[in-house]
Amino acid sequence: MDTPTHPTDHHRHRAGRVPVWLRAAIPAVLILVWLVVFGLGGASFGRLSDVVVNDQAQFLPASAEATEVNELQEGFRDGDAIPAIVVTASDTALDDAQLEAVDELRDRLLEVDGIDADASSPVIPSEDGQAAQFVVSIAAGEDDRPAKDVVDELRAEVDDDPIDGAETAVTGPAGFTADLAGAFSGIDGLLLAVALIAVFLILIVVYRSPLLPVIVLLTSLTALCASVLVVVSLAAADVLPISGQTQGILFILVIGAATDYALLYIARYQEALGRFERKWDATWAALKGAWEPIVASGGTVIVGLLILLASELASNKILGPVAAIGIVFALLAALTLLPALLLWAGRVAFWPRKVRERGASAAADLGEDPTAGRGLWAGVGRLVAKRPRTVWIASTVVLAAMCLGLPQLKADGVPSSEFVLGESQARDGQELLGEHFPAGSGTPALIVGPEADLQEMADVALASDGVDSVSVVSADSPAGQAPVTEDGVQPLGPPGTPVPDPTVVDGEVLLQATLTDPADSLEAEQTIAELRTDLDRVGEGVLVGGQTAVALDTNDAALADRALIIPLVLAAILIILMLLLRAIVAPLLLIASVVLSYAAALGVSAVVFDGIFGFPGADPSVPLFAFVFLVALGVDYNIFLMTRVREESVAHGTRAGVIRGLRLTGGVITSAGLVLAATFAALGVLPILFLAQISFIVAFGVLLDTFLVRTLLVPAVSYDLGRLIWQPSKLARGAR
């Protein structure tokens, strides 16, 4: 048995009692189990597209008015359906040949598999004669073709036989759904490839080793496969639905977090290999030093994510457990699979670099004066030790200056036509529609109320400046609906056609109000809000829904979530930090620094979004998601730093412990920050406005935390306050 040469070498002495066969069996079993999980999870990737749902209405809270209307309208129609609007327009009036071609196009499209011909509309020419439109209804039941596939076929039919001298586009809710699904199509391949390549290149630069980056990425990918396996199983069982944006965030979060935890463990393992001759002893020493900060870091993220369960908006509520599952597997892989792989590889993992000789350690190299020596982190340590107050005040001023851009952040919602960046046929078609028809054509507001109040409801809607026309659902009408004017329900057809009877379900009727503004616009949302207020005077049982109402209720729920979730996350993370650091002052400082960093990231992002990218605004959920990720993940780096500072402070005093902790963790935290920023930046390859904004805010915020907050602000404040940061623990009553 080896003779201990270091105060902590008693771990090796105890580990020596473990039989050799068990030392070989434990890592072998762990690796085998994880490889099985890797295989099963890899196979589950192919099932993701089958369980992903991108319908905004399905993620509304059950209490939302639009949700109630969605449920009620099913009684007036046969099954679920998504309307696709086909619009043809020309710079001049459409001639007879062009109108005949539009009729023929309609006949061909009604034969497409997945189209409900009976629920589709006839061709409707515009008043200026330069355009014509018709609505085709796409069946959206559980066993029906995906709406994207149907829209793709409709568009292919349009392209195969274009109408001379005119432009034709497929738009409407189905068109936007198809464009959004197409934008998410690269999530399994492109997004994952970009993220993994970025991480691999950073690890190559950091470690200058061919094997270690492979081990780290294998750990991260295995954690992701395990997450996908569980999430897909839950989604297939209708326990936990998943959207495209949730899927993208899951991928990035697991890869980034698992890699960060791996970097922290590797730093401890490399240091332990310098103190112990046997790999087994080094592994146990590394686990003892790494498990607490890794679990605490993962715990803050998991708690922050699970608090999203308190959200009103179902999409926010669903993201919480989905992403938390990913973090759990990231933690498990970093603390089991990675140590097993490194135990197998030993010092070879770091080849061609040499690991320190036995008995040496990075901590010992600092000597009695932690500010001595050369190198970047020695220089940063001297700067912090020499002028701590100047450093933290200057850092705070820089961050405060970045916050000045916050008033420019327009996070009150964006039209659904802007969800997809780049080309969008649905958006182009919506513009054509708005030039020749009421912009809300084909996507009406839905009004459900008592049959006795039909005319009064119609009169209120017609009196609104934002409503062009009103119709009532009627099975007796050829088009399935009949116009309603101030004179009552009107027949469709030649003079003498009988007035159709409205469809009545449980004493209620369904009105459709065509809006003058695009259905996805903020102006249309304002019209819906005013309609609801005005119709409340008709009766409490009158409800307003439809696509525009869905967007309005989604934005309102997202704003309510922001006001609720942000304070809860702050309180939860503060409690975790207090328990971890056994203090009150230090956790308060850490929380304050991360919140300031978050505000600075939002301020800079607002200026970039508005002045450089020209984004039309932001979804109300963007600040909330950015907050949860930045605060939870930003605190990670402070946890990595301050747990080491506390460890060093016990032996060397607080001020020396601050400089030692800064120097000992500087390289690994910087590497972790670069990895996490790169993985979130990879989200930007998907042409989705929401993900592009989250990508920039989180990546920039992580870099701020890495290079300014954790490097200068937190160490300088901690050094300036000295042992006061550990109040009220015993460590605060030490000599330094």
Side-chain angles (χ1 to χ4, degrees):
M1 183 178 295
D2 298 322
T3 302
T5 59
H6 189 274
T8 60
D9 281 5
H10 61 276
H11 295 292
R12 180 187 57 212
H13 179 72
R14 285 192 312 213
R17 301 172 184 173
V18 179
V20 174
W21 69 268
L22 194 56
R23 289 184 231 164
I26 291 176
V29 169
L30 285 174
I31 293 172
L32 181 61
V33 169
W34 277 108
L35 284 178
V36 171
V37 171
F38 181 86
L40 294 174
S44 296
F45 271 87
R47 298 169 55 203
L48 265 172
S49 59
D50 297 331
V51 298
V52 167
V53 177
N54 290 310
D55 183 3
Q56 189 180 21
Q58 293 196 22
F59 297 101
L60 272 175
S63 60
E65 189 167 332
T67 305
E68 294 183 60
V69 173
N70 280 345
E71 294 172 353
L72 290 172
Q73 70 164 322
E74 294 178 4
F76 294 89
R77 295 168 174 158
D78 295 330
D80 297 328
I82 305 176
I85 305 172
V86 183
V87 57
T88 299
S90 174
D91 295 334
T92 59
L94 297 175
D95 57 30
D96 291 341
Q98 289 172 319
L99 289 173
E100 184 179 349
V102 174
D103 283 327
E104 293 174 355
L105 174 64
R106 176 183 178 275
D107 292 339
R108 294 201 311 274
L109 296 188
L110 292 184
E111 295 176 359
V112 170
D113 183 26
I115 297 297
D116 183 356
D118 294 334
S120 300
S121 79
V123 174
I124 304 170
S126 63
E127 290 186 5
D128 62 12
Q130 296 180 354
Q133 64 149 315
F134 58 90
V135 178
V136 291
S137 184
I138 299 176
E142 187 174 333
D143 298 326
D144 292 307
R145 293 179 68 192
K148 179 183 181 301
D149 293 348
V150 179
V151 171
D152 287 345
E153 188 170 347
L154 294 177
R155 288 172 173 170
E157 285 284 345
V158 170
D159 293 339
D160 286 345
D161 192 8
I163 298 173
D164 292 336
E167 179 182 358
T168 301
V170 179
T171 183
F176 285 114
T177 298
D179 288 350
L180 190 62
F184 277 118
S185 62
I187 204 167
D188 293 338
L190 180 63
L191 174 62
L192 208 51
V194 170
L196 293 176
I197 290 172
V199 171
F200 183 76
L201 292 176
I202 292 173
L203 293 177
I204 286 289
V205 172
V206 170
Y207 291 118
R208 297 189 290 277
S209 163
L211 180 57
L212 201 52
V214 173
I215 291 175
V216 172
L217 285 185
L218 178 60
T219 301
S220 301
L221 269 176
T222 304
L224 179 59
C225 288
S227 307
V228 169
L229 176 63
V230 172
V231 168
V232 167
S233 300
L234 293 175
D238 293 327
V239 174
L240 198 65
I242 181 173
S243 67
Q245 72 181 30
T246 301
Q247 177 189 348
I249 290 172
L250 173 68
F251 283 9
I252 291 304
L253 199 58
V254 174
I255 294 295
T259 304
D260 274 7
Y261 303 148
L263 290 172
L264 183 63
Y265 176 81
I266 289 170
R268 288 284 191 167
Y269 183 63
Q270 187 174 11
E271 186 176 336
L273 283 175
R275 300 203 317 266
F276 300 98
E277 182 177 353
R278 293 189 302 193
K279 296 182 294 183
W280 179 266
D281 302 325
T283 298
W284 279 107
L287 280 171
K288 184 189 177 189
W291 80 267
E292 188 175 35
I294 289 177
V295 170
S297 299
T300 59
V301 181
I302 291 171
V303 169
L305 290 168
L306 290 181
I307 288 176
L308 287 174
L309 287 170
S311 299
E312 287 187 32
L313 198 59
S315 56
N316 292 350
K317 187 177 296 187
I318 290 164
L319 174 66
V322 169
I325 288 169
I327 296 298
V328 167
F329 282 111
L331 281 174
L332 290 174
L335 291 174
T336 57
L337 176 60
L338 178 68
L341 291 172
L342 286 177
L343 177 62
W344 162 73
R347 290 170 172 80
V348 176
F350 299 90
W351 182 88
R353 297 178 66 185
K354 292 184 178 180
V355 180
R356 295 172 179 273
E357 296 297 327
R358 179 171 174 266
S361 72
D365 286 350
L366 296 182
E368 291 299 321
D369 183 7
T371 63
R374 297 180 179 179
L376 172 63
W377 297 108
V380 173
R382 284 192 293 272
L383 174 63
V384 169
K386 187 176 181 180
R387 300 184 180 276
R389 191 161 301 175
T390 301
V391 170
W392 72 257
I393 290 176
S395 301
T396 303
V397 169
V398 170
L399 291 171
M402 293 180 181
C403 296
L404 296 177
L406 273 174
Q408 294 187 46
L409 184 66
K410 298 174 290 186
D412 52 358
V414 293
S416 59
S417 57
E418 302 291 348
F419 286 178
V420 177
L421 300 174
E423 295 184 2
S424 168
Q425 184 177 142
R427 182 167 58 239
D428 296 340
Q430 184 70 48
E431 292 176 1
L432 282 179
L433 203 63
E435 291 174 6
H436 304 283
F437 296 92
S441 295
T443 316
L446 305 178
I447 304 172
V448 178
E451 179 188 8
D453 296 328
L454 187 157
Q455 189 60 49
E456 188 176 358
M457 292 187 296
D459 290 343
V460 169
L462 289 168
S464 172
D465 292 336
V467 175
D468 179 78
S469 61
V470 175
S471 62
V472 62
V473 171
S474 170
D476 297 339
S477 178
Q481 58 189 21
V484 184
T485 68
E486 294 176 356
D487 298 324
V489 180
Q490 303 297 311
L492 280 177
T497 302
V499 176
D501 292 326
T503 299
V504 181
V505 177
D506 296 331
E508 296 188 319
V509 293
L510 174 62
L511 297 178
Q512 299 184 146
T514 299
L515 306 180
T516 57
D517 297 302
D520 66 340
S521 66
L522 298 181
E523 292 80 8
E525 289 183 24
Q526 182 61 32
T527 298
I528 295 297
E530 292 172 357
L531 269 179
R532 284 176 171 174
T533 301
D534 294 340
L535 288 168
D536 281 343
R537 292 194 288 269
V538 176
E540 293 182 358
V542 180
L543 303 175
V544 181
Q547 292 289 326
T548 307
V550 166
L552 175 63
D553 290 347
T554 297
N555 289 342
D556 288 346
L559 290 172
D561 286 347
R562 268 170 29 192
L564 173 67
I565 300 300
I566 287 177
L568 290 178
V569 171
L570 282 177
I573 293 179
L574 180 62
I575 292 172
I576 292 174
L577 288 174
M578 288 178 177
L579 294 174
L580 176 67
L581 298 177
R582 298 121 169 132
I584 293 177
V585 176
L588 288 172
L589 289 174
L590 296 184
I591 287 289
S593 69
V594 174
V595 170
L596 180 59
S597 174
Y598 163 73
L602 277 189
V604 172
S605 298
V607 174
V608 172
F609 294 165
D610 188 38
I612 298 178
F613 295 147
F615 289 155
D619 187 276
S621 293
V622 166
L624 174 61
F625 281 23
F627 177 85
V628 172
F629 295 139
L630 272 182
V631 171
L633 295 171
V635 165
D636 277 5
Y637 301 130
N638 285 327
I639 287 175
F640 293 168
L641 169 66
M642 294 306 290
T643 51
R644 190 61 185 255
V645 166
R646 193 180 193 286
E647 181 182 325
E648 296 295 328
S649 296
V650 171
H652 303 281
T654 298
R655 286 195 166 92
V658 168
I659 305 304
R660 294 174 70 88
L662 174 62
R663 291 188 61 177
L664 290 170
T665 62
V668 64
I669 294 179
T670 300
S671 302
L674 289 173
V675 165
L676 193 61
T679 52
F680 266 94
L683 276 174
V685 303
L686 296 179
I688 307 294
L689 178 64
F690 177 88
L691 294 182
Q693 291 174 328
I694 289 292
S695 167
F696 184 88
I697 295 171
V698 177
F700 182 76
V702 166
L703 292 178
L704 269 185
D705 283 331
T706 303
F707 291 101
L708 184 59
V709 176
R710 184 271 316 171
T711 301
L712 297 174
L713 178 58
V714 170
V717 172
S718 300
Y719 192 94
D720 195 18
L721 293 178
R723 57 191 172 89
L724 291 177
I725 64 171
W726 306 119
Q727 287 284 6
S729 67
K730 292 181 180 179
L731 194 56
R733 297 188 288 275
R736 291 167 286 186

